[in-house]
Amino acid sequence: MGDMKILIVDDEPDIVELVAYNLRREGFDVSPAFDGEEALARIRKEKFDFVILDLMLPGIKGMEICRIMRNDPRTKNIPIIMLTAKGEEVDKILGLEMGADDYMTKPFSPRELLARIKTVMRRSSEKTDETVVRVGKLAINKETYTVTKDDKPLELSSTEFWLLLYLVERRGKVFYRDQLLDAVWKDEAFVEPRTVDVHIRRLRTQIEDDPANPGYVKTKRGIGYYVDREA
């Protein structure tokens, strides 16, 4: 892990110091940023493999930084864990909808954060067969980890990519939320079933012509999600 570079963005020095200390013990190369402007400047200038991003920052807020990263081809695939001192579900949902791969509510344990980082990184770097899976207007490239619609690239996070690929490769089968958590989030013990709904909703905004009437990822009411065999 020594060549993996992580940016920690938080305006609380004690939290940055605690997180940095524990990540360096695990062999990560860690850099700090204490406000939104500094974080954006470093993200644009340097190459990071992971960003830990506080929601409430001085100046540019964490949510805006997340949005900017996801809209930039150079940074759109960098995994992001969002930190927030707020416990309200709406903040967590907004962070995920903006493209964060996971979230943590302060206070949190460094061990839990490390477990989440490793899980998100594993999902992002997991290797699959070098092939393209096609469904309707979509082309899912398992070598480059990209998705196109009508040959135009889509802006999917790593989690959205794996979720879509998992469902497409198993067309016709309906999956409970817990099944998708086990398959896509794997041994991540801290993810709630609600997280699946948030990622499905964001995924639909990217791949569907009409997200309110999805043609690809459909809902089996009271059960879960699936991709139609005839899609």
Side-chain angles (χ1 to χ4, degrees):
M1 296 180 185
D3 59 346
M4 284 183 51
K5 193 171 182 179
I6 298 180
L7 178 66
I8 305 172
V9 188
D10 198 301
D11 63 330
E12 299 182 57
D14 290 346
I15 290 180
V16 173
E17 182 178 354
L18 176 64
V19 172
Y21 172 77
N22 283 276
L23 293 183
R24 287 178 179 133
R25 288 184 60 187
E26 294 293 325
F28 292 104
D29 180 3
V30 181
S31 296
F34 298 95
D35 59 56
E37 287 81 359
E38 180 186 4
L40 271 181
R42 299 201 63 177
I43 289 168
R44 287 166 172 164
K45 183 179 179 180
E46 304 173 48
K47 178 177 173 55
F48 291 99
D49 300 294
F50 207 105
V51 175
I52 300 171
L53 183 61
D54 186 35
L55 181 66
M56 300 302 294
L57 291 169
I60 304 174
K61 303 303 182 186
M63 204 76 75
E64 178 65 9
I65 294 174
C66 185
R67 185 194 67 78
I68 292 172
M69 289 180 64
R70 288 298 178 244
N71 288 330
D72 187 335
R74 298 169 299 175
T75 60
K76 67 178 183 179
N77 293 320
I78 298 177
I80 299 172
I81 288 182
M82 192 80 78
L83 304 181
T84 174
K86 297 181 178 181
E88 291 84 356
E89 186 179 27
V90 64
D91 296 301
K92 303 171 184 177
I93 293 173
L94 285 173
L96 294 172
E97 288 183 333
M98 198 61 68
D101 295 275
D102 202 352
Y103 65 85
M104 294 193 67
T105 302
K106 300 175 184 178
F108 55 84
S109 73
R111 179 177 296 181
E112 180 181 349
L113 175 61
L114 178 63
R116 295 197 184 202
I117 290 172
K118 290 181 176 179
T119 298
V120 172
M121 286 303 304
R122 186 182 63 247
R123 293 203 308 265
S124 300
S125 62
E126 189 174 6
K127 301 300 182 182
T128 57
D129 293 335
E130 297 182 3
T131 186
V132 175
V133 179
R134 299 184 183 277
V135 54
K137 301 176 183 179
L138 303 178
I140 307 169
N141 191 313
K142 299 196 291 183
E143 181 181 8
T144 61
Y145 308 102
T146 56
V147 180
T148 60
K149 181 179 180 181
D150 287 328
D151 296 322
K152 297 178 181 179
L154 301 180
E155 306 293 333
L156 302 186
S157 69
S158 60
T159 301
E160 292 159 6
F161 174 88
W162 291 114
L163 184 57
L164 175 62
L165 178 62
Y166 187 83
L167 289 170
V168 167
E169 288 190 323
R170 295 158 181 81
R171 276 173 275 188
K173 182 174 180 180
V174 181
F175 292 92
Y176 293 104
R177 291 174 180 83
D178 288 343
Q179 290 176 307
L180 292 175
L181 285 176
D182 290 341
V184 178
W185 283 261
K186 302 198 183 231
D187 58 354
E188 171 57 72
F190 312 104
V191 179
E192 302 171 0
R194 175 70 170 171
T195 300
V196 177
D197 299 333
V198 173
H199 279 84
I200 289 289
R201 185 160 63 248
R202 178 173 168 81
L203 178 61
R204 283 172 171 164
T205 67
Q206 299 290 324
I207 67 174
E208 303 287 358
D209 293 330
D210 180 4
N213 297 285
Y216 293 109
V217 180
K218 299 185 177 182
T219 302
K220 179 69 72 172
R221 189 174 298 277
I223 300 178
Y225 299 103
Y226 69 103
V227 170
D228 198 300
R229 192 178 298 277
E230 303 302 320

